Amino acid sequence: MAHVNRTIPCVLMRAGTSRGPFFLKAWLPEDPAARDQALIGAIGASDPLQLDGLGGNSTLNSKVAIVSKSSLPDCDLDYLFAQVGVGHQSVDTRPNCGNMLSGVAPFAIEQGLIEAQDGTTTVRIHNVNTGAKIEATVQTPGGRVTYEGSARIDGVAGTAAPVLLNFLDAWGAVTGHLFPTGQRAESIEGVTVTCIDAAMPLMIMRASELGLTGRERPAELDANAALLEKIEVMRLEAGRRMGLGDVSGSVVPKPVIVSPGDSPDSIVSRYFTPHRCHSSHAVTGAIGVSTAFALPGTVASGLTRASGRHLLSVVHPQGQIDIDVEVVGEGVDAVVQKAALVRTARKIMQGELHLPDYVFPPEQADSPVALETYPSEPITIIVPTSAGGGNDTMARVLSRKLGPQLGQSIVVDNRAGANGSVAAEYVAAARPDGYTLMFGYIATHGINPVMQDVRYDPQTDFVPVGLIGHSPSVLVVRAGQELRTAKDLLERLRSQPEAMNYASAGEGTVPHLAAEMLLRRQGVVSEGVTHSGAAPALNALMRGQAQWMVPSLFSALPYLKSGKLVALAVAGQQRLPSWPALPTFAELGLNELDLTQWYGLFAPAGTPPAVVDTLNAALNKVLLDPETVARLLDDGVQVQPSSPQQLGWHVKSQLQHWAKVTQEFRLTEPAELV
């Protein structure tokens, strides 16, 4: 990866009902991979709370606009939208965002890309994501952008200057056809739908055919597991019919549920992103809904409308979006030629953005590894979870013995975030010289790569050094809840699911998957409280923010010994000798929770075999040390020395195992984008 400037200009803007940094294209690295890493650092994507960046713990506040002079002769500006991950290092430039679009023209004018006119300035924008062209009219009295005005949009406090967005050729922008299937209405899974491509590919359904009123709150719809499952099956088929192929890993088409509005010119819409209901409504989605509403023959069709302009309203959970639609033609020949809506924008801050080093891989060096003197400097073990958790504790126990074996000090570096992807990507890109290693475990090298899109390959990007050990999972509850057995917990889950949150160490971790597997097997819907590691998750359990968890015995043991947690069941073929009264999951008929966490040491791919052998020999000596064995066993970990090849075989079998498990329990879900 090319060198990246760590300090770059940035303008933070509220645009429509979204917020995010705006950049000129020239401010960012030219290389797409380096650009994406810079955006990840800008937003703080690695942390679900996004504390170390400009994000706001929501996809609505994890958006980026990149602006430049247009490459097209009939446009003034190019606008590339990027959706950055929340709690995972990802950048998606496939979707569009109409809200962020409302800030593009005022930003470009203030940055000198466009000369402002006196009164208003109209700018033609090319959306690079979809190829659509949009005219944006901005208030520029005296030749200067103003953000002050009397326009009001639902979901934003106060008033501001209006920004008029006129979508010129959004119809068929992605698929090439307004109705990509060739039909305005058709049946999928017994439900009549309209598949339409207008600013955003949509699959529109009538609420009445789904047994809904259409005015349900987003939380009600999100809690309806049967509905969400049915919609996803329909969405996959709609994507195939629309020519989009397999959309299981894509956010389009978006599902939409519509119902009658309060007037002939309004329609109620619930817009999905696609696996959750939007708290308000996407602008691009509103263009599609209003187009289907204005034309005859769709599931959303309203009154038959004559040629001309019609002011229509899309009503959403937080208000409505008003759209000026221009219809040309009559009956089945009618088409929507333009759709304009009012948004507002405001510049919040302009200055320099300082990017953190940790999101960028170490600079590669060309010098070969000096095998005869290895190791000649300190070795760093990257731990993918936060300090104080089980992985961190185990790594520090090993490092105190491993350092003397190798004749060098060992540094433990915690790089939590994105369920281990932050650490994995960092080590995968490090120089393969044996000085940067990874404390990998079941999540980073078994579960995450089959559950979600990660930007590393657990097999080809790493060289196995050796297994460290394993620890069984244990079902625990906070003391004082009058839950003494697993049966007590299951009864409480069924009777009071809304009051029985579980604590998760991050998406794709064993505590997360075990909890979801238990809930789905019991047919219960309950919320999870997600944290970046077992330590903060257990602390949340202690504080009463969650009521139960399925951590490793290693992580839970200190709390069990202190009496702050109560163990209800444990994984394994036999009961633990140290906890003979504790039943196994198999005894209770909860075989799906019979999960064992494992841990191993990895080096970047390309690390010389002689270096790997040196590390493996030192690691195995430590794992055979009686003091280390006793210390880890007392903490609930059974050591397991191995060869590098044995760890490689283990990783391969784990990837195959978790691929089957996630399919069986339908745990794989693409990242939500809004």
Side-chain angles (χ1 to χ4, degrees):
M1 182 177 291
H3 174 74
V4 178
N5 290 329
R6 298 296 198 262
T7 304
I8 58 175
C10 173
V11 176
L12 182 65
M13 297 187 71
R14 192 270 301 161
T17 54
S18 296
R19 190 198 71 211
F22 280 64
F23 300 101
L24 290 180
K25 183 179 179 181
W27 295 348
L28 294 168
E30 185 175 351
D31 174 60
R35 177 204 67 197
D36 288 354
Q37 288 301 127
L39 299 184
I40 286 166
I43 291 293
S46 304
D47 173 16
L49 296 178
Q50 299 178 327
L51 294 175
D52 205 35
L54 296 174
N57 189 27
S58 166
T59 52
L60 297 177
N61 300 323
S62 303
K63 301 183 174 187
V64 174
I66 303 171
V67 183
S68 60
K69 280 283 191 180
S70 183
S71 56
L72 301 182
D74 59 342
C75 290
D76 303 303
L77 299 171
D78 280 349
Y79 156 54
L80 177 66
F81 167 69
Q83 178 72 64
V84 183
V86 180
H88 53 89
Q89 289 200 354
S90 66
V91 176
D92 194 349
T93 56
R94 294 171 298 175
N96 181 22
C97 178
N99 276 303
M100 291 292 280
L101 175 65
S102 61
V104 170
F107 167 76
I109 293 171
E110 292 196 321
Q111 296 304 319
L113 268 61
I114 300 294
E115 182 178 353
Q117 307 299 310
D118 185 16
T120 62
T121 301
T122 298
V123 179
R124 180 168 287 202
I125 300 169
H126 167 229
N127 177 229
V128 178
N129 308 75
T130 64
K133 298 173 184 177
I134 309 98
E135 283 186 348
T137 300
V138 183
Q139 306 302 303
T140 52
R144 295 176 63 88
V145 172
T146 180
Y147 296 101
E148 304 299 323
S150 57
R152 183 186 301 275
I153 61 174
D154 289 322
V156 177
T159 61
V163 177
L164 183 66
L165 299 178
N166 191 359
F167 288 76
L168 302 175
D169 58 355
W171 297 272
V174 176
T175 65
H177 302 279
L178 175 61
F179 298 105
T181 70
Q183 302 181 66
R184 297 195 176 196
E186 56 198 289
S187 178
I188 298 180
E189 295 290 316
V191 177
T192 310
V193 305
T194 290
C195 297
I196 188 170
D197 178 8
M200 178 71 71
L202 304 177
M203 177 190 71
I204 305 178
M205 305 158 282
R206 292 191 188 100
S208 57
E209 290 196 43
L210 296 170
L212 304 171
T213 67
R215 294 177 181 262
E216 288 82 1
R217 293 178 293 109
E220 292 180 67
L221 297 173
D222 291 343
N224 191 335
L227 172 68
L228 296 181
E229 183 175 352
K230 181 178 181 66
I231 289 177
E232 180 61 8
V233 171
M234 294 172 60
R235 190 183 79 88
L236 296 179
E237 174 61 17
R240 187 189 65 78
R241 295 187 188 185
M242 295 172 77
L244 298 171
D246 179 7
V247 297
S248 58
S250 175
V251 298
V252 293
K254 308 278 192 180
V256 179
I257 298 174
V258 296
S259 57
D262 297 323
S263 73
D265 293 325
S266 70
I267 184 171
V268 176
S269 177
R270 294 295 183 263
Y271 178 88
F272 289 76
T273 64
H275 302 99
R276 290 185 179 179
C277 184
H278 199 300
S279 59
S280 55
H281 206 290
V283 168
T284 47
I287 295 293
V289 172
S290 63
T291 299
F293 184 42
L295 297 178
T298 76
V299 299
S301 297
L303 298 176
T304 300
R305 302 186 190 276
S307 291
R309 294 173 59 184
H310 303 271
L311 184 61
L312 307 177
S313 298
V314 175
V315 180
H316 56 76
Q318 293 188 15
Q320 66 184 46
I321 298 175
D322 296 325
I323 305 173
D324 190 347
V325 174
E326 184 173 344
V327 177
V328 176
E330 304 285 345
V332 295
D333 296 323
V335 295
V336 172
Q337 193 168 71
K338 292 182 180 181
L341 67 157
V342 172
R343 298 277 88 186
T344 65
R346 187 177 79 83
K347 181 167 70 174
I348 298 172
M349 180 215 74
Q350 179 169 348
E352 288 186 337
L353 179 66
H354 297 263
L355 302 175
D357 288 340
Y358 63 78
V359 299
F360 300 99
E363 301 278 340
Q364 296 283 351
D366 297 327
S367 58
V369 180
L371 299 178
E372 66 279 0
T373 60
Y374 177 84
S376 59
E377 58 186 77
I379 296 170
T380 299
I381 297 179
I382 305 297
V383 176
T385 50
S386 56
N391 293 350
D392 175 68
T393 302
M394 203 180 314
R396 294 181 189 277
V397 169
L398 292 173
S399 67
R400 285 193 287 271
K401 295 283 187 175
L402 191 59
Q405 283 288 339
L406 293 167
Q408 285 291 338
S409 61
I410 306 291
V411 178
V412 175
D413 184 359
N414 299 89
R415 293 178 179 259
N419 312 318
S421 290
V422 171
E425 291 174 16
Y426 181 89
V427 175
R431 190 173 66 179
D433 55 8
Y435 291 102
T436 303
L437 307 176
M438 180 175 181
F439 188 97
Y441 72 122
I442 187 173
T444 58
H445 286 72
I447 300 174
N448 286 347
V450 300
M451 264 201 69
Q452 57 191 31
D453 291 331
V454 295
R455 297 192 298 176
Y456 68 91
D457 189 303
Q459 294 181 283
T460 61
D461 288 342
F462 296 90
V463 173
V465 173
L467 276 163
I468 294 169
H470 56 268
S471 179
S473 295
V474 57
L475 176 61
V476 299
V477 295
R478 182 168 45 86
Q481 297 187 91
E482 298 183 355
L483 300 172
R484 296 179 177 83
T485 67
K487 181 180 179 182
D488 293 339
L489 174 63
L490 296 180
E491 289 178 352
R492 185 78 62 85
L493 279 171
R494 286 190 284 264
S495 63
Q496 302 177 40
E498 71 285 350
M500 295 300 293
N501 295 339
Y502 68 83
S504 164
E507 184 179 346
T509 61
V510 166
H512 165 235
L513 291 191
E516 283 296 319
M517 289 159 68
L518 176 62
L519 291 172
R520 296 185 190 202
R521 190 68 88 195
Q522 298 297 317
V524 175
V525 177
S526 184
E527 295 293 328
V529 181
T530 301
H531 299 272
S532 57
L538 285 163
N539 287 331
L541 192 60
M542 295 299 98
R543 294 192 300 268
Q545 294 176 339
Q547 286 67 49
W548 61 287
M549 185 178 174
V550 192
S552 68
L553 181 61
F554 184 85
S555 298
L557 203 52
Y559 302 92
L560 294 171
K561 289 179 177 179
S562 68
K564 294 180 180 178
L565 290 181
V566 177
L568 305 183
V570 68
Q573 298 301 311
Q574 298 178 337
R575 296 193 180 195
L576 296 175
S578 55
W579 298 76
L582 186 62
T584 66
F585 290 123
E587 289 178 63
L588 300 175
L590 300 173
N591 295 315
E592 63 270 17
L593 299 188
D594 194 10
L595 307 174
T596 296
Q597 303 217 37
W598 57 266
Y599 316 90
L601 199 61
F602 298 85
T607 301
V611 171
V612 174
D613 290 342
T614 298
L615 289 167
N616 176 259
L619 175 63
N620 286 343
K621 284 184 179 180
V622 170
L623 295 177
L624 293 174
D625 173 64
E627 183 182 342
T628 302
V629 172
R631 167 66 194 278
L632 292 177
L633 187 59
D634 187 56
D635 285 339
V637 176
Q638 176 71 53
V639 299
Q640 187 177 352
S642 78
S643 67
Q645 292 77 14
Q646 287 171 325
L647 175 56
W649 295 332
H650 182 71
V651 169
K652 181 179 180 180
S653 66
Q654 281 285 288
L655 291 169
Q656 293 171 345
H657 168 74
W658 283 105
K660 294 178 181 177
V661 170
T662 53
Q663 182 177 13
E664 178 185 354
F665 286 90
R666 304 182 63 85
L667 295 170
T668 304
E669 180 174 312
E672 174 197 351
L673 299 176
V674 183

